[in-house]
Amino acid sequence: MSRQPVVGCPTTNVPDDVGMSILDEQPPAVDPEHEGRVPQVTETTEVPTASTAENTDPRPDLDVTTVLPYTGSPASARTRGLRAWMLTAPVDVAALLSPLAVTQQYWRGTLMMTALTVAVFAAGGLYRARRHVSILDELPSLCGRLLASSAIVVIIAALRHDSPQYLVGFIRGMAAAAVLVLAGRLLTREIATLARRRRWVEHNAIIIGSGPTAVELARLLRRYPRYGLRFVGHVDSPSPSTSSTVPVIGTLDQLGHLVRLTECDVLIVADPDCPELVLMEILRQPTVAPCDLWAAPRLWGSRSHGDHIGAIPIVKVGDTILSGPHWALKRASDVLFAGSALLLLSPILLLCASLAFVDGGRGVFFRQERIGRHGRPFDIIKFRTMRPRNEQESQTNWSIAHDRRVSPIGRFLRRTSLDELPQLWNILKGDMSVVGPRPERPYFVEKFSAEYPSYAMRHRVPVGLTGLAQVSGLRGDTPISDRARFDNYYIENWSLWLDAKVLLRTVAEVFRGGGR
């Protein structure tokens, strides 16, 4: 059988010890109506002659050209948005609430046990994606966290109820729920494994790298569908040291385009031939950041918390954007905080408005265009502390901290950051978040993005009323590169506790009068 390679893809002669290791099995036939969804990448492969019997492949149909990476099936295209936690979390909740089907006597304790256990499971990573799915790997963590959460609830119940019979009945219900949780986990893991093996649910994966580890990962993904990943190709830097025997579908500079073209959901980093800083800048690109990111540790002895593909340990790298449940949690906390703050601080807001009116007359609010999430403009609201000469000055004047036109009242509002309080309304509208990178004017966003490549990456999340860079002393005339570094660190290490720490430090700055 002879096929012509796809135009634009390199053709190389692949030796048996490298190329044929990826060709352990032929990919399934592609539905014609879905053909072209992902580009077919081909490689010309020389098959050994009969004289080299020990290296002869028994399949005569691989004589000239063989498709190495292959396209997603119709099933994977329809189910690419599914994640394991979508099955596991509801089953856990149903198991924990099961005592309510027998009696409603302990409904408060049961609800508390359910909420606490799900939170403890989530904090322990028991709802994160795993490539090697095994109930035995999760069993120690499941049992330990079930015991910890149940102990907390039992202690609270013992403090509220003196009746031994009540406590005994409640403990029995929790024990039954815990057994059902373990049984539910076993069931969901079997379902997930079956769905992967039948290729009902799978996600397209690009391997970043072309070394021996990358080649072995490609072979394992091709041979074992139980990992839920469909290998679509290698991507690496165009370097002389890159092995020419490995089929590469593109370079790292083309990664964003290839992610869109192949409908890629997962990226696996395995010894790419480029500096780590360069790779991180590429992985932060808006088209690349939504992909799940995994990495094969380079150092021997690196722990991967039990996750692996074959015998190769892999680790899940934290998300570089806020999305999914994390984004929903952050947005809910923003709305709760902003709504509560507007009610509690309404007397202070009224006082600040009165001071601004006494100082400058009518028009106590100052509106200015700023750049928010994904580069979208919006109007920020502040208390007026000075009137600019014209719109040009308003948009391009970097700082008015030492401007003599700022009155004593305006200077007080700025130093205490009280002029920022109207932005609580921006938060309720969804233009801003409580904590995030500080918003900047379009003129400076364009200028700084051209000078500092990492600056534009700040707009992966909503801008904030306060931010990690600001509470770390990076306000006013401070290096933009340092601000961008702190903001990107915040985005890639976000948690509710990090938001709480920034807010506590912001309150300390306000009382210390550390504003502009």
Side-chain angles (χ1 to χ4, degrees):
M1 179 183 68
S2 177
R3 277 183 274 169
Q4 294 299 322
V6 172
V7 176
C9 296
T11 56
T12 55
N13 294 331
V14 184
D16 295 328
D17 58 348
V18 176
M20 296 307 294
S21 65
I22 308 177
L23 303 174
D24 289 83
E25 62 184 24
Q26 280 284 74
V30 180
D31 190 337
E33 69 179 72
H34 291 271
E35 189 169 356
R37 179 184 300 275
V38 182
Q40 299 278 2
V41 181
T42 61
E43 290 291 320
T44 301
T45 305
E46 285 187 351
V47 175
T49 61
S51 59
T52 55
E54 67 276 10
N55 293 329
T56 301
D57 192 287
R59 294 166 295 177
D61 58 334
L62 297 181
D63 54 351
V64 179
T65 304
T66 302
V67 178
L68 297 183
Y70 50 89
T71 63
S73 65
S76 67
R78 291 193 296 265
T79 60
R80 60 180 305 211
L82 296 179
R83 296 294 184 269
W85 66 267
M86 297 178 183
L87 174 65
T88 305
V91 172
D92 285 349
V93 172
L96 291 166
L97 293 176
S98 60
L100 296 179
V102 179
T103 177
Q104 284 76 43
Q105 183 179 2
Y106 316 107
W107 68 271
R108 290 187 182 88
T110 302
L111 291 179
M112 183 178 178
M113 174 69 179
T114 301
L116 182 60
T117 302
V118 171
V120 170
F121 280 6
L126 291 175
Y127 294 120
R128 294 175 187 167
R130 289 183 62 84
R131 301 274 57 92
H132 180 77
V133 176
S134 171
I135 183 62
L136 295 179
D137 290 342
E138 296 178 320
L139 194 59
S141 182
L142 282 170
C143 293
R145 293 178 187 280
L146 279 170
L147 287 173
S149 57
S150 60
I152 294 173
V153 177
V154 168
I155 290 173
I156 295 174
L159 294 175
R160 292 174 56 87
H161 302 277
D162 297 330
S163 172
Q165 293 181 347
Y166 180 92
L167 290 177
V168 170
F170 180 54
I171 292 174
R172 286 176 178 172
M174 287 197 306
V179 172
L180 289 177
V181 167
L182 297 179
R185 282 280 172 154
L186 177 60
L187 176 63
T188 56
R189 290 312 181 226
E190 289 297 323
I191 293 175
T193 302
L194 176 64
R196 288 180 175 184
R197 284 177 174 169
R198 297 291 180 88
R199 298 193 184 277
W200 294 336
V201 178
E202 58 187 359
H203 303 280
N204 291 341
I206 290 177
I207 296 179
I208 302 177
S210 55
T213 301
V215 171
E216 179 64 11
L217 281 170
R219 186 188 70 82
L220 291 168
L221 296 184
R222 284 290 306 269
R223 189 172 182 85
Y224 302 108
R226 65 171 176 263
Y227 298 114
L229 300 179
R230 182 181 286 271
F231 169 64
V232 298
H234 294 277
V235 171
D236 208 348
S237 296
S239 171
S241 61
T242 303
S243 174
S244 60
T245 62
V246 176
V248 177
I249 63 173
T251 64
L252 283 172
D253 294 338
Q254 303 168 331
L255 184 59
H257 173 68
L258 292 170
V259 165
R260 291 194 305 269
L261 192 64
T262 61
E263 295 182 348
C264 176
D265 299 308
V266 177
L267 299 174
I268 304 177
V269 181
D271 289 332
D273 191 10
C274 74
E276 186 173 329
L277 290 177
V278 174
L279 178 62
M280 285 306 301
E281 291 298 327
I282 294 172
L283 295 177
R284 286 171 174 171
Q285 293 176 2
T287 53
V288 177
C291 295
D292 290 343
L293 184 61
W294 297 78
R298 297 188 179 188
L299 296 178
W300 288 11
S302 298
R303 298 181 64 86
S304 61
H305 304 285
D307 211 354
H308 53 91
I309 294 177
I312 301 177
I314 58 171
V315 294
K316 178 74 166 60
V317 181
D319 296 331
T320 59
I321 60 171
L322 279 173
S323 60
H326 287 170
W327 164 242
L329 182 61
K330 182 172 177 61
R331 179 59 187 155
S333 65
D334 285 342
V335 172
L336 180 63
F337 178 89
S340 303
L342 280 173
L343 290 176
L344 295 174
L345 299 178
S346 54
I348 297 178
L349 286 164
L350 182 60
L351 177 61
C352 292
S354 302
L355 291 174
F357 179 79
V358 171
D359 183 51
R362 301 180 64 177
V364 297
F365 293 113
F366 171 68
R367 297 176 181 270
Q368 189 178 63
E369 186 180 45
R370 299 291 178 97
I371 300 298
R373 190 184 191 192
H374 302 319
R376 290 192 292 263
F378 72 98
D379 287 334
I380 198 173
I381 308 173
K382 302 171 69 173
F383 283 120
R384 187 178 295 280
T385 58
M386 187 198 80
R387 293 186 182 274
R389 295 187 182 93
N390 50 51
E391 184 64 21
Q392 176 70 15
E393 181 187 24
S394 173
Q395 292 294 330
T396 60
N397 190 12
W398 172 242
S399 175
I400 62 170
H402 304 290
D403 197 309
R404 295 182 180 180
R405 291 174 293 169
V406 180
S407 67
I409 292 178
R411 202 170 301 281
F412 168 76
L413 293 176
R414 292 179 62 81
R415 183 163 293 279
T416 56
S417 297
L418 293 175
D419 63 322
E420 309 275 0
L421 289 180
Q423 293 169 37
L424 292 170
W425 178 246
N426 287 117
I427 296 172
L428 279 182
K429 289 173 58 183
D431 296 330
M432 297 177 60
S433 177
V434 176
V435 181
R438 284 295 294 154
E440 195 48 77
R441 288 157 285 181
Y443 170 81
F444 290 107
V445 169
E446 183 177 356
K447 180 176 184 294
F448 296 150
S449 297
E451 295 176 356
Y452 307 99
S454 61
Y455 186 85
M457 303 300 175
R458 301 163 68 251
H459 297 114
R460 291 174 285 170
V461 299
V463 292
L465 176 66
T466 184
L468 181 62
Q470 283 67 40
V471 299
S472 301
L474 297 172
R475 307 181 69 169
D477 295 326
T478 53
I480 301 301
S481 58
D482 289 347
R483 293 194 195 186
R485 192 173 295 113
F486 271 81
D487 288 335
N488 285 314
Y489 172 86
Y490 165 79
I491 295 169
E492 291 155 13
N493 295 274
W494 177 86
S495 67
L496 279 182
W497 178 238
L498 181 56
D499 276 2
K501 290 194 297 183
V502 172
L503 284 174
L504 291 173
R505 293 174 65 180
T506 300
V507 172
E509 286 288 322
V510 169
F511 281 105
R512 195 176 62 184
R516 294 91 63 224

